[in-house]
Amino acid sequence: MTIVYLIFLMLAGYCSFKYDGIEEPDAHKTHRYWALCLMLICISGFSYGLGGDKFVYMENFDQMPEHIDSLGEYLYFNVLLHSYMPFWSLLNVMAKSWFDSFYVVQLVQSAFVNIIFCYVVSKYTRRQFMFLIVYFLSGVFFQFNTEVMREGLAVAFGLLAIEAWMDKNKWRYFLLVFVGLMFHVSAVLVLVFPFCHFVKIKRWTLPVAFGAAFTMWVMSDFLASHAASFAVGGIGMLVQKVITYSFAASTLFGFLRSAITFIILPFIVMYYNLKWTEDEALRARKEKLMVFCLALSVLACAFAGFSRLRSYSEIYNWMFFADFVFTWLWTKERFIVRTVAIVGIVFLTSLKYFVYYPINKSHFYDFFIPYTCILDEDRSIFYRHGMHTEATEGEVSDNNTRKME
């Protein structure tokens, strides 16, 4: 069944070659773009047991009572015991009551996430098919559709909220932030975006961002431990997660690797993308997005336990990268620098696929390969559940991180 991956990539590659160079609106291009978006929805929506987190969601769904006496009480205890925000619980409750199938949950989740992502990206780049390729190959597609599914929905509505703010519709902005929060508490990060209007991108922005990240990294033990102390004594899974994440830190090598991966190479990509954008209105919007991406990257580098802060910038980063790759051979300016950036991003992104899980004798790519479909509920792929348990229990070694004393 893994052939569906190859079919998608071949179709996206063909469409990229044929249509990504077209600057003006084109009905054929639009039709094929949304057809491939639909294909992504189906790949995720009709999958069986892809990823690791999905097994946890499936188990919780199976254990959910068919009839809930007090919905309000059920939603409250889901927040307390699982840190599941109310809208995620409601989605599961409706799917359980009406269809008794978790497949409905993953299909609805996939539809919302991929349609919103593709819509937002189409507003900023004509290299839409190249984006679909890097979105898929980078693993971000699998991340938001099979792993952090709740957060994927929050990110999707967060991106719509950012669009609303830039369209000067503040009521819609706050409404969409609220919807995002009701799926995952991390959506609070979108409230940072309005402050990005006060920063302009210059050449010296990169060393300033790196310096800020390094300074906060040096102080991270002190800052994180004090932040965690405020949560000590609180109750609920959400509080426990905050405490756990707060006491994760990176080594110096880990910080430098994160800085290269999250700050330096993406800055090169975004800087040239910004420089080559001729439309002033579009350039202004992109600049705000770039500031937002850099702000989250600085925090993610400084506090290793909160590296997932970058989830809200992932789509923008790969959107910029799609443009960058497409213009790579057509613009000679700083060709060597841009080539190094592309090679570096591809190399560092690919490393995660080869993370080894010694107990299960598997690699990270085994979460997604082979593709498994709902037409063949083969329980032999439950080793992925074991891989997830191995990772969450800290059995997978990472020399770039450490536990704070």
Side-chain angles (χ1 to χ4, degrees), residues 135-136 138-145 314-315 318 352-353:
Y135 173 52
F136 189 88
S138 66
V140 175
F141 165 74
F142 295 105
Q143 173 188 344
F144 288 132
N145 287 272
E314 287 278 25
I315 298 301
W318 291 110
K352 68 180 179 183
Y353 282 107

Side-chain angles (χ1 to χ4, degrees), residues 9-20 32 129 133:
L9 288 172
M10 287 190 293
L11 289 173
Y14 169 77
C15 290
S16 178
F17 176 79
K18 186 172 182 178
Y19 296 110
D20 274 345
R32 285 152 180 76
F129 298 101
I133 294 171

Side-chain angles (χ1 to χ4, degrees), residues 204-216 255 263 267 294-295 298:
W204 46 261
T205 303
L206 178 58
V208 169
F210 180 86
F214 181 74
T215 301
M216 285 191 286
F255 166 77
I263 298 178
F267 181 87
L294 278 175
V298 166

